[in-house]
């Protein structure tokens, strides 16, 4: 297996799918000549040319709508958002058109499209560039939402997303692009809707995705030093959600902490907590705890940004709470 | 058809009359509660859809907004299935999932009516993009009201189409009012077509109350777009006789009955009837027979819609995700 960066895994997924299927193309700001704002599409313009790796003006609604129209007549666009913060400008296209065309047309037209790009906080980008917007898209029937946390998942899930006949939103945490991991050689896919147990444990289940998954794995090592054996479950896809894998873990540990970078109000973690409380109340030894970002726009100041985001300390505190150790 | 052939104006008269009578019946059915939701009638504007779609090839694509009954019927969607859609029945063109504002027919490249002002214009650009990507010679006709022209979607979509030289005809149906706001109060440009200049796009004005003008100009425009592979903007000046939707009285407080009556003097159906009578291409008896035939079609449509079943409850989730 090759040891490669998350960004390279995504680039491989796109390039391999474009070689496999000439209907697949990449469109977005700076994806071509600039090689991608985060270098995810490095080398792709050279290989596929400007008809398939398409630089757009700064017009998210416009080029997202173009992708939808093209998908309706059989192409398979990958729309890159330079950051998901800018996808807000295209939300009408994504929510009112991409998610609904199949339904409104009685199944006559489908929108096989991927909208992907970086999200979440990175190093002090301030309020407008540090948002985790997964829950906004998870709320919408007609969309699928994936949030891979490691390079292997990023490649396999993105390939599934490109082959999926529905609009798929792919969140790539900006802070993950440089992270490394083992990625199998050759063609493989990871199905949308299947979670993964990233660390086995018996005392508590930590549920997290994307960048928070890595934080949970690091925190699990801290907990291990304190004699607490945490299992870490990565849903990988947020809509549809693999509740079975989550419940299997909950039945094993009887205690749950969900970690989400986004805000607490109406978050994805609230949805997961609700499902667990309905499906596994009988095995829970404590109420499900959520560790989320604070309910504030993310500040620029270093200390305040750190205070606004989930941390190992907050996770450890929540774990001890569900274990009645504090 | 080629330009040497005689224009099918009798067929256009039939289509415009069908749209008019179909919608008059829809208004009745709305009043009876058989049709619900928002229902935007096209009465007065028939010449634009009929002339423009009549000039297009069946393989070309049509994208439109929420005032879409006229475009659907002009495109040849079955009246009874359009009426069934308005009734929310399983036999409707969108299986009862879309209603008045979301008519679709894949078999006729009728790509839908969309209910967010201007939101569908980028989709038309995207279909045009796909035609270029796949080296096909189909053209896209995109209809929208003048109320969309100030929107971001409009400008983003036109810029991309012009920048990438996509085969799209953007047809602004300027009926003077975005809901209840006249164009003078919503657009800094009174001459809407000049908006195309901001995107280096050629533009044309057509008389949206005269189907002969719409058809003859659109024939040249569409073939020009097909050959030159670049978009064109068309402003069709027209007028809607009815309110913005069925929840809006015919003229409300934003215009006068006298204003509407003034526009009715140039009614597209009566104008064409007059022309065809003068040129002796049709007789009064033939017009009467046409009216009777259309009346039958409209009544059959209502009967079909009324008798059709509602969608099964399984349809609630059937069409959300594709396999």
């Amino acid at each position: 297996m090759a040891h490669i960066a998350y960004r390279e895994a995504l680039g491989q997924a796109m390039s391999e799918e474009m070689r496999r299927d000439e209907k697949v193309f990449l469109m977005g700001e700076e994806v071509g000549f600039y090689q991608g704002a985060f270098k995810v599409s490095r080398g792709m313009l050279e290989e596929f040319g400007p008809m398939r790796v398409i630089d757009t003006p700064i017009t998210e609604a416009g080029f997202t709508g173009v992708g939808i129209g093209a998908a309706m007549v059989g192409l398979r666009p990958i729309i890159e958002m330079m950051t998901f913060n800018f996808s807000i400008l295209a939300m009408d296209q994504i929510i009112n058109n991409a998610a609904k065309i199949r339904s409104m047309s009685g199944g006559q037209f489908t929108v096989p499209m991927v909208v992907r790009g970086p999200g979440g906080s990175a190093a002090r980008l301030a309020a407008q560039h540090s948002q985790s917007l997964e829950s906004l898209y998870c709320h919408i029937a007609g969309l699928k939402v994936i949030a891979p946390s490691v390079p292997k998942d990023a490649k396999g899930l993105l390939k599934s997303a490109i082959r999926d006949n529905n609009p798929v939103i792919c969140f790539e945490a900006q802070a993950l692009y440089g992270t490394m991991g083992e990625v199998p050689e050759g063609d493989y896919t990871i199905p949308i809707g299947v979670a993964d147990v990233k660390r086995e444990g018996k005392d508590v289940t930590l549920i997290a995705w994307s960048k928070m998954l890595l934080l949970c794995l690091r925190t699990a090592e801290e907990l291990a030093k304190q004699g607490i054996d945490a299992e870490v479950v990565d849903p990988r896809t947020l809509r549809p959600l693999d509740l079975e894998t989550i419940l299997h873990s909950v039945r094993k540990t009887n205690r749950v902490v969900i970690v989400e970078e986004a805000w607490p109000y109406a978050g994805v973690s609230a949805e997961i907590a609700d499902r667990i409380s309905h499906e596994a109340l009988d095995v829970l030894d404590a109420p499900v705890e959520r560790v989320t970002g604070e309910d504030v726009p993310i500040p620029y100041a270093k200390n305040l940004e750190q205070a606004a985001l989930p941390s190992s300390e907050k996770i450890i505190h929540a774990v001890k709470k569900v274990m009645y150790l504090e | 058809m080629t330009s040497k052939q005689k224009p099918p104006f009798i067929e256009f008269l039939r289509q415009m009359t069908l749209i008019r009578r179909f919608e008059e019946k829809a208004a009745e059915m709305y009043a009876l509660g058989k049709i619900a939701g928002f229902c935007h009638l096209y009465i007065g504007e028939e010449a634009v859809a009929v002339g423009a779609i009549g000039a297009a090839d069946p393989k070309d694509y049509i994208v439109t907004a929420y005032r879409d009954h006229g475009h659907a019927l002009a495109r040849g969607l079955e009246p009874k299935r359009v009426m069934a859609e308005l009734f929310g029945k399983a036999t409707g063109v969108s299986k009862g999932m879309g209603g008045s504002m979301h008519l679709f027919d894949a078999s006729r490249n009728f790509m839908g009516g969309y209910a967010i002002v201007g939101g569908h214009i980028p989709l038309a650009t995207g279909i045009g993009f796909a035609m270029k990507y796949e080296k096909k010679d189909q053209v896209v006709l995109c209809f929208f009201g003048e109320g969309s022209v100030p929107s971001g979607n409009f400008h983003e979509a036109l810029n991309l189409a012009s920048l990438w030289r996509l085969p799209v005809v953007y047809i602004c149906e300027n009926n003077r009012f975005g809901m209840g706001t006249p164009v003078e109060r919503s657009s800094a440009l009174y001459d809407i077509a000049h908006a195309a200049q901001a995107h280096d796009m050629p533009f044309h004005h057509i008389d949206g109350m005269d189907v002969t003008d719409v058809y003859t100009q659109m024939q040249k425009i569409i073939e020009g777009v097909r050959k030159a592979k670049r978009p064109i903007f068309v402003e069709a000046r027209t007028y809607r006789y009815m309110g913005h939707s069925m929840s809006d009285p015919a003229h409300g407080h934003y215009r006068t009955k006298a204003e509407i009556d003034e526009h009715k003097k140039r009614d597209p159906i009566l104008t064409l009837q007059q022309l065809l009578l003068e040129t002796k291409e049709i007789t009064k008896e033939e017009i009467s027979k046409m009216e009777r035939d259309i009346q039958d079609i409209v009544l059959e449509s209502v009967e079909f819609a009324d008798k059709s079943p509602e969608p099964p409850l399984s349809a609630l989730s059937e069409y959300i995700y594709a396999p």
Side-chain angles (χ1 to χ4, degrees):
Chain A
M1 279 206 282
H3 194 67
I4 62 172
Y6 187 94
R7 64 160 57 83
E8 289 175 74
L10 293 163
Q12 282 185 8
M14 291 194 289
S15 293
E16 287 177 19
E17 291 306 299
M18 283 175 65
R19 281 175 214 130
R20 196 181 64 81
D21 183 353
E22 64 182 22
K23 302 228 182 240
V24 180
F25 66 93
L26 173 65
M27 178 183 279
E29 293 152 3
E30 310 290 5
V31 298
F33 285 95
Y34 196 87
Q35 310 269 312
F38 293 89
K39 303 298 175 231
V40 175
S41 53
R42 183 178 279 158
M44 288 179 67
L45 175 66
E46 193 182 18
E47 178 175 356
F48 299 104
M51 262 315 281
R52 297 186 71 196
V53 179
I54 302 150
D55 283 322
T56 66
I58 303 165
T59 54
E60 281 78 10
F63 67 74
T64 303
V66 165
I68 297 166
M72 287 177 80
V73 291
L75 298 187
R76 305 186 79 86
I78 304 167
I79 302 296
E80 178 171 304
M81 292 292 159
M82 190 186 288
T83 89
F84 255 98
N85 301 286
F86 309 156
S87 77
I88 296 168
L89 290 150
M91 277 185 96
D92 171 54
Q93 289 299 332
I94 297 170
I95 294 175
N96 273 317
N97 288 336
K100 296 187 172 63
I101 280 170
R102 181 173 158 78
S103 178
M104 293 193 303
S105 69
Q108 293 181 79
F109 293 99
T110 58
V111 181
M113 178 172 83
V114 177
V115 179
R116 50 155 290 272
S121 69
R124 303 182 59 191
L125 300 176
Q128 293 183 338
H129 278 71
S130 301
Q131 306 176 88
S132 298
L133 301 174
E134 297 95 304
S135 71
L136 298 186
Y137 293 103
C138 282
H139 196 56
I140 308 301
L143 302 179
K144 295 184 179 181
V145 181
I146 62 177
S149 52
V150 296
K152 177 187 166 194
D153 292 354
K155 182 171 175 182
L157 278 168
L158 182 54
K159 283 167 81 88
S160 290
I162 294 166
R163 295 180 197 184
D164 199 285
N165 289 325
N166 297 284
V168 181
I169 309 295
C170 177
F171 279 94
E172 304 153 6
Q174 183 176 328
L176 286 180
Y177 279 138
T179 57
M180 306 292 286
E182 299 296 326
V183 172
E185 311 282 349
D187 185 42
Y188 72 96
T189 57
I190 291 173
I192 290 173
V194 178
D196 189 35
V197 178
K198 289 283 195 287
R199 183 187 196 279
E200 302 261 358
K202 60 180 171 35
D203 295 330
V204 61
T205 296
L206 300 179
I207 301 170
W209 55 92
S210 193
K211 189 173 59 179
M212 293 298 106
L213 187 274
L214 302 195
L215 178 64
C216 282
L217 287 173
R218 287 199 298 275
T219 306
E221 296 309 311
E222 286 295 310
L223 288 165
K225 288 176 196 161
Q226 300 179 35
I228 297 169
D229 187 16
E231 177 147 300
V232 181
V233 178
D234 180 357
R236 296 196 293 201
T237 77
L238 304 177
R239 184 186 184 110
L241 183 70
D242 177 5
L243 195 59
E244 277 317 301
T245 299
I246 290 169
L247 292 175
H248 186 263
S249 177
V250 174
R251 290 193 185 102
K252 184 171 149 190
T253 65
N254 313 112
R255 293 175 167 87
V256 186
V257 174
I258 311 171
V259 183
E260 176 177 19
E261 186 176 276
W263 301 296
Y265 203 104
V268 173
S269 57
E271 173 73 19
I272 298 174
D274 173 75
R275 303 258 200 117
I276 292 170
S277 70
H278 278 83
E279 299 293 329
L281 186 65
D282 53 328
V283 301
L284 285 177
D285 285 344
V288 174
E289 280 294 318
R290 298 164 62 204
V291 176
T292 69
E294 298 298 322
D295 200 12
V296 298
I298 305 296
Y300 171 73
K302 187 177 181 184
N303 64 326
L304 295 180
E305 181 187 54
Q306 281 175 355
L309 296 169
S311 63
S312 277
E313 293 71 35
K314 290 176 186 173
I315 297 168
I316 289 168
H317 174 70
V319 165
K320 289 187 172 169
K321 201 169 166 190
V322 297
M323 296 186 76
Y324 302 107
L325 295 171
E326 281 189 358
Chain B
M1 66 173 285
T2 68
S3 53
K4 282 177 188 164
Q5 286 175 299
K6 207 164 117 180
F9 288 140
I10 291 176
E11 171 58 16
F12 292 165
L13 179 63
R14 197 193 67 78
Q15 286 183 18
M16 290 198 295
T17 310
L18 172 65
I19 294 167
R20 178 75 56 94
R21 303 293 170 248
F22 181 95
E23 291 210 301
E24 287 166 352
K25 185 57 77 177
E28 273 178 47
M29 293 299 113
Y30 193 91
L32 290 175
K34 299 271 188 186
I35 297 172
F38 292 126
C39 184
H40 309 83
L41 302 182
Y42 195 61
I43 292 175
E45 307 183 34
E46 296 92 343
V48 186
V50 168
I53 294 170
D57 192 278
K59 69 177 189 287
D60 294 333
Y61 290 93
I62 312 294
V63 187
T64 186
Y66 47 83
R67 197 178 302 284
D68 55 351
H69 310 164
H71 309 93
L73 294 172
R75 188 52 164 184
L77 273 67
E78 284 183 69
K80 63 181 186 178
R81 294 195 60 215
V82 175
M83 190 65 84
E85 188 61 36
L86 305 189
F87 276 50
K89 297 300 185 71
T91 53
V93 289
S94 307
K95 300 195 174 73
M97 303 300 291
S100 167
M101 300 189 285
H102 309 299
L103 304 172
F104 287 85
D105 189 342
S107 71
R108 288 176 176 79
N109 286 357
F110 193 77
M111 309 305 285
Y114 296 86
I116 306 296
V117 171
H120 64 299
I121 304 174
L123 305 188
T125 304
I127 297 167
F129 171 84
M131 294 307 105
K132 178 168 179 166
Y133 188 96
E134 304 213 81
K135 300 184 174 63
K136 293 181 174 169
D137 73 343
Q138 282 124 302
V139 165
V140 185
L141 268 56
C142 178
F143 295 89
F144 48 89
E146 86 291 338
S148 311
V149 172
S151 78
N153 272 311
F154 169 87
H155 290 282
E156 294 185 17
L158 263 69
N159 176 61
L160 290 172
S162 191
L163 184 68
W164 295 340
R165 300 183 78 86
L166 306 179
V168 186
V169 188
Y170 296 95
I171 304 164
C172 175
E173 301 179 309
N174 182 356
N175 68 13
R176 299 256 304 106
F177 295 95
M179 202 168 163
T181 302
V183 62
E184 300 85 2
R185 290 206 292 123
S186 64
S187 175
L189 273 175
Y190 177 70
D191 194 338
I192 289 282
H194 290 171
Q197 287 185 307
H199 307 289
D200 191 32
M201 195 182 290
F203 63 90
H204 296 268
H205 292 95
I206 59 179
D207 181 352
M209 300 301 269
D210 177 356
V211 74
T212 66
D213 188 53
V214 178
Y215 175 74
T216 48
Q217 288 213 55
M218 285 300 295
Q219 255 202 327
K220 290 179 203 138
I221 289 166
I222 291 170
E223 287 320 305
V225 167
R226 205 186 306 282
K227 285 197 184 75
K229 312 283 185 202
R230 68 173 298 183
I232 280 184
F233 185 94
V234 175
E235 179 189 351
R237 296 230 172 123
T238 182
Y239 197 79
R240 74 168 144 80
Y241 297 174
M242 309 292 283
H244 166 70
S245 78
M246 285 302 295
S247 54
D248 176 21
H251 53 83
H253 58 271
Y254 56 86
R255 57 182 181 173
T256 61
K257 187 170 178 302
E259 178 184 317
I260 300 170
D261 289 344
E262 189 58 33
H263 284 276
K264 282 183 177 174
K265 288 179 186 165
R266 296 199 62 237
D267 183 82
I269 295 174
L270 297 179
T271 304
L272 182 60
Q273 278 182 2
Q274 199 58 41
L275 176 75
L276 294 175
L277 286 168
E278 280 168 15
T279 55
K280 301 198 187 311
E281 287 174 77
I282 200 164
T283 63
K284 284 190 172 174
E285 292 67 33
E286 285 168 331
I287 290 172
S288 299
K289 181 172 185 315
M290 183 185 278
E291 284 278 4
R292 285 195 303 275
D293 292 346
I294 285 166
Q295 191 64 17
D296 288 345
I297 292 170
V298 170
L299 290 174
E300 278 164 20
S301 298
V302 166
E303 198 182 326
F304 174 82
D306 218 13
K307 284 186 176 163
S308 288
E310 291 183 313
L313 287 180
S314 61
L316 193 57
S317 55
E318 191 177 346
Y319 307 115
I320 301 171
Y321 291 100

